[in-house]
Amino acid sequence: MRDVVVIGGGPAGATVASLLASFSHDVALVTRASPPAGWLAESIPSSARKLFSTVGMLGVIDSGRFQPNLGNTVWWAGQPERSEAFASDAAGIHAERAALEEALLEEGRGRGVRVHEGAPVRSIERRDGEWSIQHGDHVIRARWVVDASGRAGVVGRGSRREDRPTGTLALVGRWAHDRWAGPGASHTFIESYEDGWAWSVPLSATTRCVTAMVDPRETELEKSADMDGMLLRELAKAPNLMRRLDGATFVGGSHACPASLYTSDAFAGEGHLLVGDAGSFIDPLSSYGVKKAMASAWLAAVTLNTVLTDVGLTGPALEFFAAREREVYRRYRELSVPFFEEAAGAYGTPFWEARAEAARVAGGVGRGATFEGAPVDPADRVDATEEDDALVGHRDVREAYEEIRRRPDVHLTPGGSAGTADLPLVRDQRIVLAPHLISDALPDGIRFVRNVDLLRLVEAVRGRDQVPDIFDAYNRSGGAADLPDFLAALAVSVGKGLLDLSDWRPTAWRRTI
């Protein structure tokens, strides 16, 4: 009997299987045949390099098999063109989905994953604490199952909750050129229009994938077999992107695939985890789909490494995983609100108004919400002990930072509502229970901000009223922070009530007193 069977050989499945094998667990992976070449394309931004490095797959990005992703060129909501370039020595990649899957599975095989390809899963059941998975004519038994089967949701489909107001269909085609050239030849192109948006990525020196995202309820898909014509009609609404295809030849053979959003009511259950797109699917607009999948896989591997070695931590570990997956989906939806609201304001169409409202609801924000600080991709939180950097942009934290800078000295004492609680965090590829700080403003607890240990920081404050002295004491006590990260963590501690700064309170606190 295996320790774990992973169902699905996409980025999430290949990554979680590879990691578990590297942790010395007995892992099998079951996957259907790879998608045909030309079926799907992936755009992976340069910010994914940290994540690929953490899961030991940076070599996949740097292998030279894929086109470099050197930036984005965007025409959004009728605004002028915006272009962002990535450093050539820190590029992301554009990849055929089939080629990316094979590269990741190859890594897994090298780490000892037993890969079973081609035959579909015919049945799956759990009895007496043991899973039985039949694929083709073979049966595999395992203690745990990871459902990484994407939209198919072999295990997870029953707990899925779809975002019905924003049904989306992707229409995909290819353009060929002798040699792509000119500005942005290695960029992702994105353009919005009244009732959809389009994007394009280069997959080779001569081929580009172009995709239109539409509402399936507004298309003639079921009435027409002319998929090529349907795609071309949509892309005619994106003139800036199409101008970048001047001189290229439409290859034809277009196809459609579902791209509607969904999440799950239960990301973890008795003997199983839902990983990557099996648990939730975010808008392709973000280009963070692969990053999200691999970050989910990393935490799933850490979770299973924990429960396979210490059954007593099963409950806290599963809840930690599920809570993180719920928050990642919520945060992505929150970050999409200003983009959808901008498009809704520009076009005033049901397509964008429905998406803006659905994102507000799913993200837990109000109409016309403002976002303080730079948005941070939740998938960059590879170390689950780190607090989302968005916290540093909160108004009370910014006010605390300015007040600390203004004062010649600081008199800091433990916050009146502050305390500690043992909560889960990741340490050495396992989930452990460790002390966290809590306050009225942070009832769910916090331990790290930008890798600064807040417990150590609070101890360093004692008996010191000069910020340089506190910084020096923190680093001498075993911390390893640079000054900007330390100041951010200190501002969070003060702004969120973990530490009290004499004779000062944030504006929001003063209003409630």
Side-chain angles (χ1 to χ4, degrees):
M1 183 171 66
R2 310 291 185 208
D3 292 327
V4 182
V5 168
V6 178
I7 302 174
T15 300
V16 68
S18 293
L19 285 170
L20 285 168
S22 71
F23 299 158
S24 300
H25 297 297
D26 187 353
V27 185
L29 182 147
V30 178
T31 181
R32 80 294 186 260
S34 295
W39 180 250
L40 290 173
E42 300 288 357
S43 177
I44 303 174
S46 60
S47 58
R49 294 182 65 84
K50 174 184 175 183
L51 177 54
F52 272 76
S53 177
T54 297
V55 300
M57 295 198 176
L58 188 57
V60 172
I61 284 186
D62 293 336
S63 65
R65 304 185 197 188
F66 310 110
Q67 286 294 107
N69 179 355
L70 296 179
N72 299 315
T73 298
V74 180
W75 304 272
W76 193 259
Q79 297 299 308
E81 176 183 304
R82 300 195 301 268
S83 189
E84 174 193 14
F86 305 149
S88 59
D89 60 349
I93 59 172
H94 301 297
E96 291 269 14
R97 178 59 178 259
L100 179 62
E101 287 189 9
E102 182 51 41
L104 295 172
L105 286 174
E106 184 178 307
E107 289 280 338
R109 291 186 187 96
R111 299 185 194 185
V113 177
R114 294 169 174 81
V115 178
H116 303 266
E117 288 186 277
V121 172
R122 294 173 56 186
S123 67
I124 179 168
E125 63 177 350
R126 190 168 192 266
R127 184 180 300 172
D128 299 328
E130 178 182 313
W131 288 94
S132 178
I133 301 97
Q134 183 173 7
H135 67 102
D137 296 328
H138 302 282
V139 174
I140 303 176
R141 291 181 171 80
R143 298 161 63 187
W144 283 83
V145 161
V146 170
D147 183 356
S149 62
R151 192 170 291 271
V154 173
V155 176
R157 197 171 187 85
S159 65
R160 186 167 295 172
R161 184 159 32 90
E162 295 189 9
D163 194 338
R164 296 190 181 280
T166 60
T168 306
L169 187 71
L171 304 176
V172 186
R174 298 296 165 105
W175 268 253
H177 198 287
D178 289 343
R179 186 79 183 180
W180 297 105
S186 295
H187 282 204
T188 300
F189 300 151
I190 306 169
E191 183 170 6
S192 66
Y193 49 90
E194 287 191 349
D195 54 355
W197 77 94
W199 58 279
S200 173
V201 298
L203 295 176
S204 73
T206 59
T207 305
R208 258 190 178 268
C209 175
V210 185
T211 303
M213 312 298 292
V214 302
D215 186 336
R217 294 166 296 189
E218 302 299 325
T219 69
E220 299 296 321
L221 179 63
E222 296 182 359
K223 304 176 185 177
S224 171
D226 182 17
M227 194 71 67
D228 289 349
M230 187 184 304
L231 174 60
L232 292 173
R233 286 192 293 274
E234 285 297 320
L235 293 177
K237 304 173 186 177
N240 294 294
L241 188 155
M242 291 304 292
R243 273 195 291 272
R244 293 299 180 98
L245 299 178
D246 283 349
T249 301
F250 176 45
V251 176
S254 306
H255 60 273
C257 55
S260 298
L261 282 64
Y262 55 81
T263 186
S264 295
D265 292 320
F267 287 92
E270 194 171 357
H272 74 273
L273 298 177
L274 309 183
V275 178
D277 290 353
S280 66
F281 184 83
I282 60 171
D283 223 307
L285 175 64
S286 68
S287 294
Y288 290 151
V290 171
K291 289 180 65 178
K292 169 186 167 295
M294 295 184 73
S296 174
W298 171 79
L299 189 56
V302 169
T303 300
L304 288 175
N305 189 42
T306 301
V307 303
L308 288 168
T309 55
D310 187 349
V311 69
L313 284 173
T314 299
L318 294 185
E319 178 50 36
F320 186 74
F321 174 81
R324 187 267 183 191
E325 292 295 286
R326 287 192 296 268
E327 174 59 15
V328 164
Y329 182 78
R330 186 206 66 78
R331 181 69 174 141
Y332 273 119
R333 299 307 308 280
E334 178 187 13
L335 291 175
S336 72
V337 169
F339 297 100
F340 290 148
E341 287 191 334
E342 186 180 12
Y347 304 122
T349 57
F351 181 92
W352 291 110
E353 290 174 349
R355 278 160 175 74
E357 178 58 23
R360 285 190 289 264
V361 171
V365 298
R367 181 179 294 273
T370 58
F371 294 83
E372 301 175 321
V376 175
D377 171 22
D380 279 336
R381 294 168 58 194
V382 175
D383 181 350
T385 67
E386 293 182 10
E387 182 69 3
D388 191 337
D389 263 0
L391 185 64
V392 177
H394 287 186
R395 181 178 179 181
D396 48 8
V397 175
R398 295 204 317 268
E399 289 180 354
Y401 178 78
E402 294 301 327
E403 184 67 18
I404 291 168
R405 288 187 59 193
R406 186 186 67 81
R407 295 191 178 202
D409 51 49
V410 293
H411 299 283
L412 296 165
T413 57
S417 69
T420 61
D422 285 340
L423 299 169
L425 59 74
V426 176
R427 180 179 292 155
D428 298 328
Q429 308 300 346
R430 293 185 60 211
I431 295 170
V432 299
L433 296 178
H436 285 59
L437 290 167
I438 58 173
S439 68
D440 287 347
L442 295 170
D444 294 329
I446 188 171
R447 178 65 185 266
F448 295 90
V449 170
R450 293 186 177 176
N451 284 323
V452 175
D453 187 334
L454 299 187
L455 279 177
R456 194 185 299 273
L457 172 62
V458 168
E459 286 300 314
V461 161
R462 298 183 188 277
R464 300 176 178 87
D465 59 10
Q466 297 291 317
V467 171
D469 293 340
I470 300 170
F471 176 61
D472 182 59
Y474 175 85
N475 282 327
R476 283 190 291 105
S477 71
D482 59 26
L483 186 58
D485 288 345
F486 173 83
L487 291 174
L490 185 62
V492 168
S493 300
V494 173
K496 296 301 183 181
L498 304 175
L499 290 169
D500 281 343
L501 180 61
S502 61
D503 303 321
W504 180 84
R505 293 290 185 274
T507 302
W509 294 15
R510 293 197 292 269
R511 289 173 181 166
T512 62
I513 296 176

